Amino acid sequence: MNYYPPEAVTRPLALAALLGRPDLHAAAREFLRSSHNPPINSIGVAEPGASSRLFGERKTVTNPATPGSGIIKADWLAKHRQRRPAVAVVLLDRSAVAGNPSDWKRSCAALEAVRAAARTRGARLVVAVVQEAPMGLDLPEERAAELAKTAGVDRRCLVTVILSEGAAAWRPVGAVVHEQAAAFYSDDARRVQQAHADRRLQAPSYEANARTAFKAAALAEFRGDRAKAARMYSTSYGEVVKVAIGPPTPLQRHFECAAVAELLHVKVVTLLLTQARVPDACTQFCGHLRRFRSPPELVGAPLGAVAAHAGWLSRQYAAMAELLSGRVDLSAVADQPGANPAELFLEAAMAAIARRRASDAAVAARSTPLQAKAATVIPGRFIGTAVLRGPPAMPMTDAQYCDYLESQEAAVDHSRAAIELLRVAHGLYTRLGPARPARLLYRIGGLMATEYLAAGDVANAAKLLEGCAALQRQEGWRAPLAATLAQLRDCALRRGATKDYVAASLELSALVGYVSDEVAEAAGEDAVAAIEAAGTGPAADTVPASMGTSILAPTPAGFSPLDSAGTPEAPTSPGEQQSGTLNAWRSSDAAPSAVEESAAEVDAAADALKAADLSSSSPTAGAAASSKRGPGPVGGAAVKAGLHRSESTPAMHFTVGAPPDGAGLSSALALSVGFAKPDAFPTAHLGRDGAVTIGVGIWSGLTAPLVETRVEVVLEDRTGQISLDAVPAPELLAALGHTPSHALLERLGSTMPLTEQRLSDADGVAALQPQAWATWAVRWAPRHAGPLRLRRVVLYCGTATSFTWQLPEAPQGQAVIGQAGSSFGSSLPPFRKASDVEAGLWTLEAPSRLAAPELKVHCAGYGMVGERLALEVASQAGAAVAGGTLTVTAAYREGLCAPQLLFAPARGVPAGDAEEEAAPVKLAAVEAGARTSNRYLLALPRHGQIRLTATLTCNLAEALENTVTMSVALELTVEQPFSVTTTLAGPPRVPQLLLPSGGLSTAAALGGGGVEGRAALPLRSRCMLTAALRATAPCEVIIESCALELPEVDPGEPPAVLLPNGPSDLALPAPANLRTGDIHSALFSLTSSTAAHGMPLGSLLVRWRRALPAQKRTHSSSQAAPPGSPVRRAPQAGVLPPPPGETVATRLPLPVVDFAEPLLSVTADHPSSATAGTPFRYQIVLDGRNCDEQQQLMVALGDTTGWVLSGPRKQALSLLPRMRAKLAWQLVAVNPGPQPLPSIQVAVPGVNARVDASGGRQVFVLPAAIPV
């Protein structure tokens, strides 16, 4: 808000005058300003008798204001804030008031003088009696009454200041001054309104109405009434916009009204925002713009006035944005029109840019000296007016005033001001995070670049323009891109960068349809001229001197037609140049949106480009006149001549599509390249040498032909890269048959590699016509069989310019790299179907002159743990093979272990006989078409992923030096056939508390967690193991047997686990067929006589086989023989199935358990049935025969719902060593039917364990008999 003086943007404070005792003024001023609320400003006068100069005389208005006079005096606010006090505070010593008569008379005389001076302005009076310390007696009553009478004030305006109290001594003074100041400002407002009412009866005017409302608003603001101040300022603003603007100086009158309206608008908005009335503030702002954004008074006005108004408009936007940023929570007003500071700052920047353009145009159009300059003009008495410096001061005519405005604008750094506003707007938009408008951000960057260019900062402008151009290419915004490219050309010229200039010119020339034909032609001619002149001097990337001086003409007057802001060029005739335009900031009635304006400006840029020439950015400007274009700049001929005369034109090398210099060349030069299919040309013309053909097509989007062009293709084989010259082949575009013409085959030459016999320049040179495809061809015999990869294509133009296309690794298969024209036909690859060149085919397997063998692997798609998969590796020779080696390897991807690969026995030989580890196999020489086969067995020890690789390396019989390697790799999944779930149970219906081998420190209930969560089983008791097998194999399997394998023990030692039922092998009476998800359960009985901790139970041995043979899949190599090669197809051999009835043994581990002595056994006794209402006995027997110590037991009965209980629910007892105990209860059933018995919990606190003695028991209750 540094655009305005402090009195316009800060809150006005009441002003008081301190009279007398100058030594106390500093302390009083500090308290009133800093400690009092609200603050009060003050001025000091040493002697009260000198107060007459402080208040002055009130003027008397004898004649009413007439229309056309000034509206508001420029110094009125400052005068009342700084020089015209509302209250006079007279500081008197107590000794002078209560002392001798002479001092008393002097004090009364001073009061009378101050009263007389203040009366002229109606100022209020306060008397402060100063004393050093509190005194016992107050001021004498007669003296106090005389003081009040002399000063003409009430007794409450007499205050005492006790200096010993410090700053608090001035608190009574502050309270009385604030009260009296409010009364003064209220009286003054009534006086002003009454005077205005009297004048209106004589000659009413809008100026007087505005002036009176303004004064009333300011006085309300002085006394803190913000609501009334906002209302009166708004009333004054409404009167200002009604002021008639007419002769004799309508232009000056407009700027005066605009200045007054600006002050009132800032006041209104500030007060509304202070009251949190954001919508009202935004409404005021939009109305302010509607009235003054496009005033009719400036239609046809001189450019100096247009620039001044644009600066005024920029200030409105910036001030509103700053007010909103500092006083409003922006998240709460996001949807309020005109409440976005980022948009407002952007609009301010747009107005600043328009200001700079109008100012530049005014300077360029100035042909006579200025009649009035800023140094000869001073501000007038009223806001927004100016007069010629005197003496005496003289009013100005509108012509002089316009000259004054123009001189003011010439002293302003417009570009820097616009850049700062754009920078602030960019920062605010960036803070939006992911929601920020990317297009608008780059648009702001383009505007900043334009202003950097105007300021002469070419480096920063180029950096911003390159970023904008990158986004515009990516999004396809052609019209803005054309404007950006024109600016980049200008930057390149100023920096002397020939390469950058050529790149921008080529891309601009290709934007046909988005620029005028003359623009495109001139850009193309300039680029071609620079290309033809390249390499004539040292390789320094600079523009020749002739290009920057004699060829480049100064920028013409007016707005740049290629400016990215998209505003039209100013008229060129002198008469028209004096007339400004407001199109840059005209909009609808509502507050404009920066985004909408940006979109509109894009369209304006397109229209401007189509109708403009390159006078502001082309190096051809200033040469001889062209009859085609009329007076003005010429095309590329002059540039070509100038470049050929240069001694330092550089060599230039571009990488198409790669930033920074080749990023946009894809629209100027497009590439289509690919191999011809191997069978495209018959053997009658090419023989059996396996030669390959490459077709190259290049689209020129330029408007001028590129002559002296040559194409080079770089491809790579297994021995490295090789560069081949291409032959111009227009026949590729018009091949009519299935094969190329004989003339083309003759031009392609022999089959010798072109690296040994290169084409001459005359043979390889062709012209690249504008807006058309040109084609070249390469025919080459590969040095080796194997993969060929196109790496890059280089287009050479002239003597020292090249364009390189790097073919990417991914994505491959692009038929056209770049943009080839706008029509459907031109965007297609240049190769007709008849030419058999496949555009986008960059990789080719170079065929051998002899047929290579074909390698196949037959194998199941998956395997299961424990199986031995059969696989077959077969090869078939396309031509005679002198010998070779077959290697087969297998490995788990995780690398934990390696599967065993064995040679399979011959047919009829039992499995296990003649099996040996697989090793590389030496293959004997075979004739063409012969088939060889090798069989293997792959043992699968664990699940996972196995990578199987078969590699065949052989030498062809007719070319011993030509070694061929074929390889097949596949992935094999190995899965588990079963999963097992085990359940352990002790003796039925006998709950036991087990004593582990560690003693009585811990114990566990049977079947529930032993140490570390293991199952616990009792010694010398028959326990049951249930194993549930779930089939997880992806196919149907047959289980033949299931057995329990106990862990091995040392010889001579008894087994730790016994099988009471004898052999554990469970041979099924009939095989069990299981599909995926089926479950097969096996039951085993076991016991142990030795206490053990963590004893393994062994494993479960399952013998099984597949229900059906595994289905085989075939994996083969992709080598194909060239046409015409003799290949004898042998009968296809069948795939060997796995041996019939082969059984697989799978071992599944069983859990680890604890065997322990039963510390306590609990047996429950009760009848199986009872009668409702009849009691029965429910008892438990506690057996501690394995306990060597007395144990304290706690027995608790659980929920007894549905039962009537006789006996204690909880009781404690002592169980002697190796003794038994009984506990009994009487139960009566209430309801008939099966009823669960109450649970019985037996706890042994000494070992911190408990056991459930009931085990989910229940009794069937019969209904009670009904008496007859």
Side-chain angles (χ1 to χ4, degrees), residues 1183-1256:
D1183 188 356
R1185 60 178 178 272
N1186 294 324
C1187 186
D1188 295 331
E1189 299 176 2
Q1190 181 179 349
Q1191 297 292 331
Q1192 298 293 328
L1193 304 180
M1194 296 292 298
V1195 181
L1197 206 61
D1199 186 16
T1200 58
T1201 303
W1203 300 94
V1204 177
L1205 173 68
S1206 174
R1209 294 175 60 89
K1210 294 183 180 180
Q1211 53 186 314
L1213 73 155
S1214 296
L1215 183 64
L1216 298 177
R1218 304 185 183 281
M1219 296 299 291
R1220 301 174 67 187
K1222 293 183 179 180
L1223 293 175
W1225 296 269
Q1226 292 289 328
L1227 293 178
V1228 178
V1230 177
N1231 301 316
Q1235 300 294 332
L1237 289 171
S1239 61
I1240 301 175
Q1241 298 286 334
V1242 181
V1244 186
V1247 294
N1248 192 24
R1250 65 178 58 241
V1251 64
D1252 185 1
S1254 58

Side-chain angles (χ1 to χ4, degrees), residues 493-508:
L493 281 176
R494 298 189 188 187
R495 291 186 294 119
T498 305
K499 185 177 179 181
D500 295 342
Y501 179 81
V502 170
S505 300
L506 289 173
E507 189 175 1
L508 182 61

Side-chain angles (χ1 to χ4, degrees), residues 685-705:
H685 296 287
L686 297 180
R688 295 176 54 193
D689 57 357
V692 296
T693 302
I694 304 169
V696 180
I698 297 179
W699 166 270
S700 172
L702 308 180
T703 55

